[in-house]
């Protein structure tokens, strides 16, 4: 699904470099890619982080798993092929937002390592930072939370191919940050990400 089908297309450079844009707008871009099981806390942490960053004047935009499936990815389901295309599009969109000078937060289960690696590669090719955050909340804890009742449905066989139940989750082996949210507040988890962003120089203290 990802081959270039168009012919006679040519890349059109703009009149500005990325550095000129970021300098003029006083911002820096980069993608913070949250991955983990359903209900591990990706969306909650990304939302808290977005609020903190925006309120401190940092350009930031959040791309959320379910929300994207209402629009851009409304034609995709949860087969391995559709999950791959879902993540491929998100990788491309995150790259554009980051190029535009946003700290781009993506919260998608993104269960397959190859798909996450492809998103990382797209950023590397474009010279943009990419940080993989593994929200490593144990399955038992996610299932206990079950804020949308999805695990219950999956256990009852009403949802097929549910990650962690009857579909695989390939844990990252080289994530820049691993968070276990068990017994932590949302703010504590968000703070761990902020500390990392400061450490890598994407934001100031
Ligand atoms: P995901 O986006 O990974 O599917 P959600 O963010 O939708 O997960 O749901 C996570 C649930 O876990 C929410 O109900 C949230 O309130 C709860 N939770 C408890 N502690 C934390 C924490 N430290 N960080 C994030 N979420 C937490």
């Amino acid at each position: 699904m990802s081959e270039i089908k168009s012919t006679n297309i040519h890349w059109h450079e703009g009149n500005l470099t990325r550095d000129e844009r970021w300098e003029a707008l006083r911002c820096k871009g980069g993608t913070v890619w949250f991955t983990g099981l359903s209900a591990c806390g990706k969306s909650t942490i990304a939302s808290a982080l977005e609020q903190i960053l925006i309120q401190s004047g940092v350009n930031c935009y959040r791309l959320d798993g379910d929300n994207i499936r209402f629009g851009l990815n409304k034609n995709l389901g949860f087969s391995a092929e559709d999950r791959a295309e879902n993540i491929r599009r998100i990788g491309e969109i995150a790259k554009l937002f980051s190029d535009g000078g946003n700290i781009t937060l993506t919260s998608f289960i993104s269960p397959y390592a190859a798909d996450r690696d492809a998103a990382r590669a797209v950023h590397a090719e474009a010279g943009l930072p990419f940080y993989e955050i593994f929200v490593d909340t144990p399955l038992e804890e996610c299932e206990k939370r079950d804020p949308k009742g999805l695990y219950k449905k999956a256990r009852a066989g009403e949802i097929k191919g549910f990650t962690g139940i009857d579909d695989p989750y390939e844990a990252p082996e080289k994530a820049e940050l691993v968070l276990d949210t068990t017994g932590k507040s949302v703010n504590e988890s968000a703070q761990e990400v902020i500390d990392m962003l400061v450490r890598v120089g994407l934001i100031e203290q």
Side-chain angles (χ1 to χ4, degrees):
M1 246 216 250
S2 60
E3 77 278 16
I4 297 177
K5 289 188 178 165
S6 318
T7 51
N8 296 312
I9 53 171
H10 301 275
W11 186 266
H12 191 124
E13 282 298 340
N15 297 346
L16 284 168
T17 65
R18 177 185 297 153
D19 284 346
E20 284 168 338
R21 174 192 303 277
W22 288 5
E23 209 169 295
L25 299 176
R26 293 190 177 81
C27 58
K28 274 186 195 170
T31 293
V32 179
W33 187 282
F34 291 93
T35 172
L37 296 171
S38 179
C40 69
K42 302 177 297 295
S43 297
T44 305
I45 297 169
S47 301
L49 192 57
E50 178 182 45
Q51 189 178 16
I52 295 167
L53 291 175
I54 291 288
Q55 286 176 348
S56 54
V58 175
N59 223 9
C60 172
Y61 199 80
R62 183 174 56 87
L63 301 168
D64 183 273
D66 276 10
N67 297 1
I68 294 288
R69 285 179 178 274
F70 279 101
L72 177 70
N73 289 355
K74 69 199 303 187
N75 61 333
L76 299 175
F78 290 93
S79 66
E81 193 195 28
D82 278 7
R83 283 181 192 265
E85 177 60 11
N86 184 43
I87 297 307
R88 188 191 72 78
R89 292 184 198 173
I90 300 313
E92 293 287 346
I93 296 282
K95 178 186 83 175
L96 295 177
F97 271 90
S98 291
D99 185 39
N102 290 277
I103 294 190
T104 311
L105 311 174
T106 70
S107 42
F108 296 81
I109 298 174
S110 42
Y112 302 122
D115 298 342
R116 295 190 304 264
D117 288 347
R120 184 187 283 276
V122 157
H123 284 72
E125 273 163 34
L128 287 162
F130 181 93
Y131 306 99
E132 194 173 359
I133 315 285
F134 177 23
V135 187
D136 187 16
T137 309
L139 176 64
E140 307 73 60
E141 171 70 15
C142 296
E143 207 166 345
K144 201 161 70 187
R145 291 178 185 169
D146 205 9
K148 300 173 198 153
L150 299 177
Y151 283 100
K152 202 162 165 231
K153 281 192 184 165
R155 289 287 185 199
E158 291 165 28
I159 305 177
K160 298 275 179 235
F162 195 76
T163 302
I165 306 295
D166 59 348
D167 221 48
Y169 178 77
E170 297 171 1
E173 287 173 2
K174 47 182 189 310
E176 277 72 15
L177 185 67
V178 180
L179 301 176
D180 181 351
T181 65
T182 316
K184 296 214 175 113
S185 71
V186 175
N187 274 345
E188 282 173 320
S189 297
Q191 188 60 46
E192 288 186 48
V193 184
I194 289 175
D195 292 343
M196 186 209 72
L197 294 177
V198 171
R199 245 183 351 259
V200 299
L202 209 53
I203 60 173
E204 285 163 23
Q205 190 85 54

